[in-house]
Amino acid sequence: MSAQYRRTRLVRVGYAVVGLTLFTAYLIATFPYSATLSKLLAPMGLEVSSRSQSASFPFGAQLAGVRLSSTSPASAAPLIESPAVTIAPAFFSMLTLHPGVRVKAALYDGVVNVMLRPSGGGTAISYDLDSVDIASQRLLAIPGAGAAGKLSGSGNLWLSSAVIAATGGGELSAAGLTITSPFAAAPIRLGDGHSKFNLDQGILTIEEFTTTGGDLTLTAHGTIQLAADPAQSELAIEFTLSTAPAAASQLAALIAVLPHPPGPQPYRLTGTLNAPRLS
């Protein structure tokens, strides 16, 4: 092979690399980030709004003041708010002609990474949560009650507006979990929690939920029938409690209002998220 031929070949390869780089840069620069995200959220009955948008180096877009809301008239308040969200194209989904996006959001003092892509008339989601502050979320508003701690976990979901959640599953863990109750003089420590769940045809099944290292040890399993308005989701959960001896006096008022003393007989939680019933 002559030196001239090798130089010619290298020049052609160089042109090809430059051309491919410019084409890739063009795709990245012109990718419809906001439009794609809105299209992916629409099958779930969700919409997104933001205060401003700017370019994110080396590619993608950064949105500020992001609000995720339900399109249901009964849900006026935003489900999630984030001060900063970075959106970039999911390159593999672009190659399959189903454009998706990767989203990294600052969420309640933590971080969430999500990959969304259209799939079968709905939206496929892969997510990873890291140290999200439970106390800052607004999904639940039970008078006199609340929760705190750091939530982490990962999983995969397939969502659509028709069935709320068709398939999926994952694991979630909570560190430093505490709850407040009008029947307890001080916050109740549950310690660390771990759960496994799956989704099928709009029903979330809690396969396992356990807590360790707190004033109360809680184990639970059951189902939640998801609704378009999360607060109206229906509960069918059984759980058991055991009390740490050192916390018995602190929890005496709470134990007194329970349907029966803690023990092997489970409690049953029914009703909805915003109007639960305990038996």
Side-chain angles (χ1 to χ4, degrees), residues 19-82:
L20 181 60
T21 301
L22 292 175
F23 178 69
T24 303
Y26 172 79
L27 287 180
I28 291 170
T30 59
F31 188 84
Y33 301 103
S34 298
T36 300
L37 183 58
S38 297
K39 182 178 179 180
L40 291 169
L41 292 172
M44 297 179 277
L46 299 173
E47 60 184 6
V48 67
S49 62
S50 64
R51 188 175 63 251
S52 64
Q53 177 177 322
S54 59
S56 177
F57 182 83
F59 56 83
Q62 182 160 321
L63 308 180
V66 177
R67 294 159 63 95
L68 179 66
S69 306
S70 171
T71 56
S72 170
S75 184
L79 300 176
I80 296 174
E81 294 182 271
S82 172

Side-chain angles (χ1 to χ4, degrees), residues 24-214:
T24 303
Y26 172 79
L27 287 180
I28 291 170
T30 59
F31 188 84
Y33 301 103
S34 298
T36 300
L37 183 58
S38 297
K39 182 178 179 180
L40 291 169
L41 292 172
M44 297 179 277
L46 299 173
E47 60 184 6
V48 67
S49 62
S50 64
R51 188 175 63 251
S52 64
Q53 177 177 322
S54 59
S56 177
F57 182 83
F59 56 83
Q62 182 160 321
L63 308 180
V66 177
R67 294 159 63 95
L68 179 66
S69 306
S70 171
T71 56
S72 170
S75 184
L79 300 176
I80 296 174
E81 294 182 271
S82 172
V85 173
T86 301
I87 306 174
F91 294 108
F92 178 77
S93 66
M94 290 175 68
L95 295 176
T96 61
L97 303 181
H98 294 287
V101 294
R102 293 186 179 276
V103 179
K104 181 178 182 179
L107 186 65
Y108 306 134
D109 297 326
V111 175
V112 57
N113 288 281
V114 182
M115 201 276 276
L116 305 96
R117 60 179 178 83
S119 175
T123 303
I125 300 175
S126 298
Y127 68 89
D128 183 83
L129 306 175
D130 184 22
S131 301
V132 174
D133 182 23
I134 297 173
S136 300
Q137 61 81 34
R138 298 182 179 181
L139 292 180
L140 302 179
I142 302 174
K150 297 292 185 179
L151 187 67
S152 302
S154 61
N156 298 283
L157 307 171
W158 183 87
L159 304 181
S160 76
S161 58
V163 292
I164 306 298
T167 59
E171 297 187 16
L172 293 172
S173 61
L177 185 60
T178 64
I179 59 174
T180 55
S181 167
F183 302 105
I188 303 167
R189 297 184 307 109
L190 293 179
D192 296 333
H194 180 75
S195 67
K196 293 182 179 181
F197 68 91
N198 67 61
L199 290 150
D200 184 44
Q201 299 300 312
I203 298 175
L204 184 151
T205 299
I206 302 170
E207 297 179 336
E208 171 192 341
F209 179 81
T210 60
T211 67
T212 57

